Amino acid sequence: MSGTAEMTDERCLSDLGGVGDVLRSLGTGSLMLVADRVAFQASGARDRLAPLLRDIPVVMFEDFDPNPKLDQLLVGLARYRSRPTDAVLAVGGGTAIDLAKLIAWSAPQSADVRELVSGRARTDRPALPLLAVPTTAGTGSEATQFAVLYVDGIKCSIDSPELLPRACVLDSALTATLPPSITAHTGLDALCQGIESLWSVAATDRSVGYAVEAIGLAWHHLEAAVRCPDSASRAAMCRASHLAGRAINLTRTTAPHAISYAFTSDHGVPHGQAVALTLGPLLVHNAGVTAADNQDPRGVESVRARIAMILDLLDCADAEQASREIDNFVRRLGCETRLSGWGISDRETIERIAGKVNPQRLGNNPRRVTHEQIVDLLESIV
Ligand SMILES: [Zn+2]
């Protein structure tokens, strides 16, 4: 199946208390609950959902750790097959939601999940209805039709309209107990996704609207959400994260995400932090776009206009200043801004990271980026 499915306001609940009504409207007689064990408890979702799910038989799946992996998906599918259910409920961060998406999508199919994930087989049945409840404000996964899956250490992105959740709950009270480091990492993902969507070659009027609002909210509220959280900053970050998700659902991500995956899979750098490492240098790179290396079919002026919007949102006069401000911002959140902080410093490791970048993802970037430029860029932030 091709095309893009989109989350709409009508399908976004703002209170976890509405879950019971949604499940009833879907005619749910039994439910698979895919939950991050720690977040499920700490967010308060376990206690708040218990009375709502009292009459529904629930199959639990919570045996997984950060960054969704194929063997964890296989365990989840085996759990589903031992007691098939009508619908799936995801509670947690990007990992829980992505695994739940993949289970809801692949469980009803006749083809093997490995064949589906690799694109060698197609779906022949509709996905199970999925309701996504994020407990972090970052990935926006509840608003996208993609799921990340690491297969043998290699990051795969599965992209299908059938992966979009049927509905989602954006209840910022669920993020109240997040540790500052997770608020910082996930919030940086939202900021990066907003900025990448805005400069993407696939940006549309609608994606630009989502991205502009997401960037403004994240830039002005993330530091408060990390350092002195209150309900206003948490609500702002939940909205930023969701809108950035809607934005990248239309445009896909670009160079900072493409470069980040080896930081995460090989060096354990949390996703949002990994993406933020190259955001500033790539803003400078993209601001230098010329007719010769522009990749946006609408022309170099269209790219420059959207880079100017980004600078405006960050309240900076030029890309170099914006890069310095992003660096300061990331540091104020308590995050690393240099690769050496993650043990990455030698040329061989940098070459290997640059060699793992998916060239297709770089095609979304407004200015061409060569392997040599990635190596130089990484060396500049050691
Ligand atoms: Zn991301």
Side-chain angles (χ1 to χ4, degrees):
M1 216 171 153
S2 58
T4 302
E6 288 187 59
M7 182 54 73
T8 58
D9 290 338
E10 300 73 57
R11 294 193 281 146
C12 294
L13 286 73
S14 58
D15 189 315
L16 190 62
V19 163
D21 290 341
V22 173
L23 294 176
R24 265 188 293 284
S25 74
L26 292 171
T28 307
S30 58
L31 187 68
M32 180 161 188
L33 178 49
V34 179
D36 176 302
R37 185 180 281 121
V38 174
F40 191 41
Q41 179 70 38
S43 67
R46 184 188 292 274
D47 290 344
R48 291 173 62 192
L49 280 172
L52 306 174
L53 303 181
R54 206 170 28 220
D55 302 326
I56 302 175
V58 173
V59 177
M60 280 299 291
F61 175 49
E62 47 185 4
D63 314 310
F64 49 86
D65 38 51
N67 305 315
K69 294 165 198 72
L70 177 62
D71 51 350
Q72 296 171 341
L73 172 59
L74 294 173
V75 173
L77 281 169
R79 186 78 47 86
Y80 170 84
R81 295 211 163 100
S82 69
R83 255 177 79 198
T85 61
D86 299 335
V88 180
L89 174 63
V91 182
T95 300
I97 296 176
D98 280 11
L99 279 173
K101 283 176 168 178
L102 292 167
I103 291 169
W105 171 72
S106 62
Q109 314 305 331
S110 39
D112 184 82
V113 66
R114 294 176 198 79
E115 302 290 307
L116 290 167
V117 161
S118 65
R120 291 191 296 268
R122 289 178 169 276
T123 55
D124 54 1
R125 298 194 181 114
L128 298 166
L130 168 65
L131 176 57
V133 183
T135 57
T136 63
T139 68
S141 177
E142 76 284 355
T144 74
Q145 61 169 48
F146 347 118
V148 166
L149 187 70
Y150 286 87
V151 180
D152 301 325
I154 295 172
K155 181 245 167 200
C156 302
S157 186
I158 299 105
D159 186 334
S160 163
E162 295 177 310
L163 287 171
L164 184 78
R166 192 69 64 87
C168 65
V169 178
L170 303 174
D171 187 332
S172 58
L174 295 170
T175 66
T177 57
L178 279 179
S181 61
I182 295 185
T183 302
H185 299 154
T186 51
L188 283 172
D189 192 22
L191 177 68
C192 293
Q193 291 184 164
I195 289 177
E196 288 182 57
S197 181
L198 188 40
W199 72 34
S200 164
V201 300
T204 64
D205 286 347
R206 198 154 69 245
S207 74
V208 166
Y210 293 146
V212 164
E213 192 177 344
I215 297 165
L217 286 168
W219 190 245
H220 293 291
H221 295 278
L222 178 53
E223 194 175 346
V226 171
R227 292 160 67 108
C228 46
D230 57 12
S231 57
S233 58
R234 285 195 299 267
M237 284 313 301
C238 279
R239 182 154 175 82
S241 149
H242 181 72
L243 291 173
R246 284 202 201 180
I248 59 154
N249 190 50
L250 295 170
T251 61
R252 312 301 184 262
T253 53
T254 66
H257 267 74
I259 296 170
S260 79
Y261 293 110
F263 296 147
T264 298
S265 63
D266 299 356
H267 300 276
V269 187
H271 173 68
Q273 156 85 92
V275 181
L277 283 168
T278 61
L279 184 71
L282 281 160
L283 175 56
V284 173
H285 176 82
N286 287 339
V289 64
T290 66
D293 56 20
N294 166 47
Q295 303 199 103
D296 192 313
R298 293 163 293 193
V300 75
E301 286 311 320
S302 167
V303 176
R304 286 188 186 134
R306 278 174 286 122
I307 298 281
M309 290 169 82
I310 294 168
L311 298 179
D312 208 39
L313 286 161
L314 303 185
D315 208 15
C316 289
D318 56 45
E320 285 74 16
Q321 184 197 357
S323 182
R324 285 194 301 277
E325 290 296 336
I326 291 170
D327 211 62
N328 292 335
F329 182 74
V330 172
R331 219 173 289 133
R332 288 199 304 275
L333 300 178
C335 295
E336 275 295 338
T337 57
R338 316 300 292 183
L339 297 181
S340 50
W342 292 98
I344 302 164
S345 54
D346 62 290
R347 175 90 188 183
E348 199 183 320
T349 307
I350 284 170
E351 283 280 356
R352 194 179 42 74
I353 289 169
K356 282 193 164 187
V357 175
N358 176 348
Q360 198 187 338
R361 241 353 128 186
L362 294 181
N364 294 340
N365 201 65
R367 185 182 183 192
R368 197 176 306 126
V369 195
T370 64
H371 176 85
E372 291 69 32
Q373 284 169 329
I374 294 174
V375 170
D376 287 349
L377 185 148
L378 294 179
E379 294 213 305
S380 76
I381 55 167
V382 164

